[in-house]
Amino acid sequence: MKKVLVSSSHFDTLCHDAWDLFEENGIEVIFDAKKAFPAYTTEEIEAHPDREEIVAALIGMDDYRDERKYQALPNLKAVAKFGVGVDNIDGALAKKYGVKALNAPGQNSNAVAELTVSFMLNLLRGVIPLHKAMEEGGWPRHIGTEIKGKTVGLLGFGAIAKLVARKLQCFDVTVLAYDLYPDVKAAQEMGVKLTTQEEVITASDIVSIHIPATPDNYHLFDRDTIAKMKDGAYLVNPARGALVDLDAAAEALLSGKLAGAAIDAFELEPLPKDAKILQCENIVLTPHTGAETKESYYNVSITTAKDIIRVVNGQEPDHCVNP
């Protein structure tokens, strides 16, 4: 029987419709709710009793850059990321084995955009430090700052950044944006100034990162780049951990160069307990939770399920990153 190996968390509780869709199309779902960490190692794949019947993998944090995984799954036709970023899938390697690499662009964009705006507001008002102080019996009179009148720079102007810009329209802010392939029409409609990467970094009170991680932009926000930011600026990263040098960010926070930072993705996950960034007070850290909403899970699961079914049936998927 054809089977799909699912290692995306909460698939059994939040993705019933997608599960049913697989079964209606003759594909059995393999999902182990007892696994402490949903992702499968290469060794676990090699030892999996159903590996020869698995025709698709719907993955979260699994690493599909290891050729042994493809060799262990001889009938694999599709590997789909439960989300957008496919940095944990080697598209060329998958293609070598006749495997379609899939994702679900736009399906969790609103969830990430809402979290991004909440990051900005929380940082400016010091919500997390105030909450911690009250837990310890304190009643501090912290003086925050308002987002009104600030300049927000969006590094990247794709689906998520556009939603961030739209949500910021009611806050009376100036929005700058840089993108390699800018959507001029959308920018004009929302009053966003398209500019250079340099201006976004140097002229913004809040810099929000919305670009994919590539070898060329590894640690884009290192000591040198952060030094170019305005004194007292805020850094928000709901994108990819590799884009920010965490130690450099921590140094800037501790010195006061940065007034605050909010980060949702990290190079090493879970974040080590001895990470320097944890010494800082003016931070908001979340465990890669940008897309973690009920609505997002529904949208992504249905989108990926439909594409997997298309591939298994010999049809072209709507969202393939290695055509």
Side-chain angles (χ1 to χ4, degrees), residues 158-284:
I160 294 172
K162 288 175 189 174
L163 284 169
V164 171
R166 189 172 299 282
K167 296 175 192 306
L168 288 173
Q169 284 182 299
C170 64
F171 286 104
D172 296 326
V173 298
T174 298
V175 180
L176 310 177
Y178 167 75
D179 196 279
L180 286 172
Y181 308 100
D183 187 335
V184 176
K185 182 179 179 182
Q188 291 175 341
E189 289 175 352
M190 291 185 282
V192 174
K193 177 187 174 183
L194 292 173
T195 184
T196 63
Q197 176 173 294
E198 186 77 7
E199 185 175 3
V200 166
I201 291 170
T202 61
S204 302
D205 299 299
I206 305 168
V207 176
S208 190
I209 308 173
H210 301 280
I211 56 176
T214 68
D216 292 335
N217 62 24
Y218 177 74
H219 280 188
L220 174 61
F221 281 82
D222 56 12
R223 290 176 178 83
D224 291 339
T225 301
I226 293 173
K228 296 177 182 178
M229 295 175 65
K230 294 174 70 172
D231 291 343
Y234 297 83
L235 180 62
V236 175
N237 182 21
R240 286 290 178 262
L243 295 165
V244 176
D245 181 338
L246 270 192
D247 287 343
E251 291 172 10
L253 288 162
L254 292 169
S255 71
K257 169 63 182 179
L258 290 179
I263 302 173
D264 184 51
F266 306 87
E267 281 187 83
L268 185 58
E269 296 180 346
L271 183 66
K273 293 181 180 180
D274 61 351
K276 192 173 182 179
I277 196 77
L278 293 172
Q279 299 174 15
C280 307
E281 293 185 359
N282 45 343
I283 54 171
V284 179

Side-chain angles (χ1 to χ4, degrees), residues 81-224:
K81 177 64 178 289
F82 197 90
V84 181
V86 290
D87 44 311
N88 57 333
I89 302 174
D90 186 326
L93 182 60
K95 191 170 185 178
K96 173 183 173 181
Y97 285 88
V99 176
K100 296 282 189 182
L102 314 172
N103 68 345
Q107 300 307 308
N108 58 20
S109 296
N110 187 68
V112 179
E114 287 188 4
L115 183 68
T116 300
V117 176
S118 75
F119 274 165
M120 296 177 187
L121 298 175
N122 274 279
L123 284 173
L124 292 173
R125 297 305 297 270
V127 172
I128 301 300
L130 288 172
H131 173 81
K132 288 182 177 178
M134 288 190 67
E135 283 186 328
E136 297 172 359
W139 194 262
R141 310 313 299 159
H142 172 76
I143 304 300
T145 187
E146 298 175 16
I147 197 170
K148 180 180 179 180
K150 300 294 187 295
T151 297
V152 178
L154 305 176
L155 195 55
F157 196 56
I160 294 172
K162 288 175 189 174
L163 284 169
V164 171
R166 189 172 299 282
K167 296 175 192 306
L168 288 173
Q169 284 182 299
C170 64
F171 286 104
D172 296 326
V173 298
T174 298
V175 180
L176 310 177
Y178 167 75
D179 196 279
L180 286 172
Y181 308 100
D183 187 335
V184 176
K185 182 179 179 182
Q188 291 175 341
E189 289 175 352
M190 291 185 282
V192 174
K193 177 187 174 183
L194 292 173
T195 184
T196 63
Q197 176 173 294
E198 186 77 7
E199 185 175 3
V200 166
I201 291 170
T202 61
S204 302
D205 299 299
I206 305 168
V207 176
S208 190
I209 308 173
H210 301 280
I211 56 176
T214 68
D216 292 335
N217 62 24
Y218 177 74
H219 280 188
L220 174 61
F221 281 82
D222 56 12
R223 290 176 178 83
D224 291 339

Side-chain angles (χ1 to χ4, degrees), residues 28-48:
E28 180 183 333
V29 175
I30 303 173
F31 180 81
D32 186 356
K34 297 179 181 178
K35 267 181 119 314
F37 185 62
Y40 283 84
T41 65
T42 297
E43 291 74 20
E44 286 176 320
I45 291 291
E46 290 174 330
H48 202 287

